[in-house]
Amino acid sequence: EIVLTQSPATLSLSPGERATLSCRASQSVSNYLAWYQQKPGQAPRLLIYDTSNRATGIPARFSGSGSGTDFTLTISSLEPEDSAVYYCQQRSNWPPDTFGGGTKVEI
Amino acid sequence: QVQLVESGGGVVQPGRSLRLSCAASGFTFRSYAMHWVRQSPGKGLEWVAVISYDGSDDYYAESVKGRFTISRDNSKSTLSLQMDRLRTEDTAVYYCARDLDNTGYYYRYFDYWGQGTLVTVSS
């Protein structure tokens, strides 16, 4: 099973700042990595799939990069509504597809 | 608009059974593989099971294999999860989620989720 490790656990930033979230895989997942946003009391929302493809309706301030074992989600200019927990997920080697433990972004 | 509405959660004793349902609307249900994903405070997000668009194929996480059964009724746009021999570690919010791909392929990203139903396994 591939383990995904996210860092930092918590990120505290101000509106307009740039957020950089990291996801590291225990072995290569090629480019088969997604990012989700989850707000309190809500289900996760798909932001990015296959490393860098934005899902339908996702603002351009969200971008993804990386390959192999190291991936990054960047939020270029934080909005107050971006406060949430962000999870990465891999689909390279299954079953199972696995998720990271999450990064909480506080604004 | 796409809607997924889960039901059937509740409190159940270890060793007992529970059946979850997910009613889908707003899209061509029969064209998509469908998943169950659960979330618990201790283990975070965990993929549970997937069923193919036509119900002919399915896969399970090792933690539930042999105890849980995923099924679907395309005539009613409904997804189900039969959970038998429940354990305390199955306590979680269970989400049904749609696969990103609409050609029947297992893309295995989840583009729409329900609101979740809470399952608590406790004596």
Side-chain angles (χ1 to χ4, degrees):
Chain A
E1 174 174 318
I2 294 177
V3 176
L4 299 178
T5 302
Q6 292 188 241
S7 62
T10 304
L11 197 53
S12 298
L13 294 168
S14 300
E17 288 193 302
R18 182 185 194 90
T20 303
L21 288 67
S22 174
C23 177
R24 177 163 290 177
S26 59
Q27 64 189 78
S28 176
V29 299
S30 185
N31 71 324
Y32 299 132
L33 190 105
W35 292 91
Y36 297 83
Q37 175 193 66
Q38 186 176 33
K39 297 180 179 180
Q42 297 184 16
R45 172 194 182 196
L46 179 65
L47 298 175
I48 302 285
Y49 66 95
D50 285 345
T51 298
S52 59
N53 296 298
R54 272 190 302 276
T56 303
I58 301 304
R61 65 180 183 274
F62 292 92
S63 64
S65 62
S67 67
T69 60
D70 290 294
F71 299 85
T72 300
L73 174 70
T74 301
I75 311 172
S76 60
S77 180
L78 282 164
E79 301 280 349
E81 62 265 29
D82 297 335
S83 289
V85 179
Y86 293 81
Y87 296 95
C88 56
Q89 176 236 331
Q90 67 82 24
R91 70 170 190 103
S92 172
N93 187 12
W94 81 301
D97 297 324
T98 52
F99 293 84
T103 290
K104 183 176 184 179
V105 173
E106 298 176 334
I107 301 172
Chain B
Q1 72 281 20
V2 173
Q3 276 201 304
L4 299 169
V5 180
E6 300 96 338
S7 59
V11 180
V12 61
Q13 293 179 327
R16 305 297 291 266
S17 298
L18 204 60
R19 186 177 182 87
L20 305 183
S21 294
C22 172
S25 61
F27 66 102
T28 306
F29 182 73
R30 64 179 179 273
S31 295
Y32 290 82
M34 295 294 296
H35 303 258
W36 288 98
V37 179
R38 66 186 181 184
Q39 186 171 31
S40 61
K43 292 194 69 178
L45 286 163
E46 181 185 16
W47 172 82
V48 173
V50 62
I51 189 166
S52 62
Y53 69 101
D54 62 355
S56 63
D57 195 28
D58 54 38
Y59 295 89
Y60 298 89
E62 281 297 323
S63 58
V64 307
K65 193 178 291 184
R67 300 188 299 121
F68 289 12
T69 304
I70 189 172
S71 61
R72 67 190 297 159
D73 184 340
N74 284 346
S75 69
K76 296 181 180 178
S77 296
T78 301
L79 178 72
S80 297
L81 186 68
Q82 176 67 39
M83 304 186 294
D84 298 324
R85 302 195 303 280
L86 282 160
R87 305 168 179 168
T88 55
E89 56 264 36
D90 295 320
T91 295
V93 174
Y94 285 74
Y95 295 100
C96 68
R98 191 181 81 168
D99 196 280
L100 179 62
D101 189 82
N102 67 353
T103 65
Y105 174 68
Y106 293 131
Y107 211 100
R108 306 190 334 267
Y109 297 130
F110 319 112
D111 65 345
Y112 284 94
W113 302 58
Q115 85 288 352
T117 188
L118 177 61
V119 173
T120 303
V121 184
S122 173
S123 55

